[in-house]
Amino acid sequence: MAGTTVITKTIAKICLMIDMLYSIDLLLIGGNRPGGGFIGGVLCAAGIGLIYVAYGFDDIKKIWNPDWHMWFGYGLLFASITAWSPLLAGHKYFRSAFDFIPVEIGGIHLFELEMVSSMFFDLGVYFVVVGGLLFIATKLGTDKGPEGEHE
């Protein structure tokens, strides 16, 4: 993109770092507080979309060109497995479980880490949202319009 300035590119990088950190924070707190995979995925896709706008899709594609539809597919698979897996243990569909795992160093108890099974479902949703939104954005961004149409 010829019209993008150095300032725009620098601000986009800074925004991407902040977006990614907050996106992961929203993903991790989703089991206990408002947040989760959906809103975390939207924020992640927005940060990556901002980089596409600032640097141009073709320039970013040379450096990093993931298959966003694969992210969508694997996220859907992961979320589905997480939702259906309680049936294998004789529980109801979508049953959530949690446990506390003690974290110790040198025999000294530091804290307990809460593990919630719904977090794995949120992780699948996160990848579905990121993959879906960026797949749509990249397809719309690379669409050249109907043939014969001049700019």
Side-chain angles (χ1 to χ4, degrees), residues 10-95:
T10 305
I11 296 295
K13 286 182 195 177
I14 293 169
C15 287
L16 177 66
M17 289 185 285
I18 294 169
D19 273 358
M20 289 300 141
L21 288 174
Y22 192 48
S23 170
I24 292 168
D25 180 56
L26 285 171
L27 171 66
L28 294 177
I29 67 169
N32 297 323
R33 294 180 297 202
F38 181 79
I39 193 63
V42 169
L43 191 59
C44 176
I48 295 171
L50 180 63
I51 292 294
Y52 281 154
V53 170
Y55 284 87
F57 179 71
D58 292 331
D59 290 341
I60 295 298
K61 191 175 174 180
K62 293 174 191 172
I63 300 168
W64 189 53
N65 189 22
D67 292 329
W68 295 117
H69 65 283
M70 296 298 286
W71 284 49
F72 181 89
Y74 287 129
L76 189 60
L77 178 66
F78 196 70
S80 299
I81 289 171
T82 305
W84 286 95
S85 61
L87 292 174
L88 300 175
H91 299 292
K92 293 183 180 181
Y93 173 73
F94 245 130
R95 180 175 186 252

Side-chain angles (χ1 to χ4, degrees), residues 1 23 32 37 73 76 87-88 92 112-113 117-118 120 143 148:
M1 187 174 266
S23 170
N32 297 323
L76 189 60
L87 292 174
L88 300 175
K92 293 183 180 181
E112 290 184 340
L113 183 64
S117 65
S118 63
F120 296 107
D143 186 22

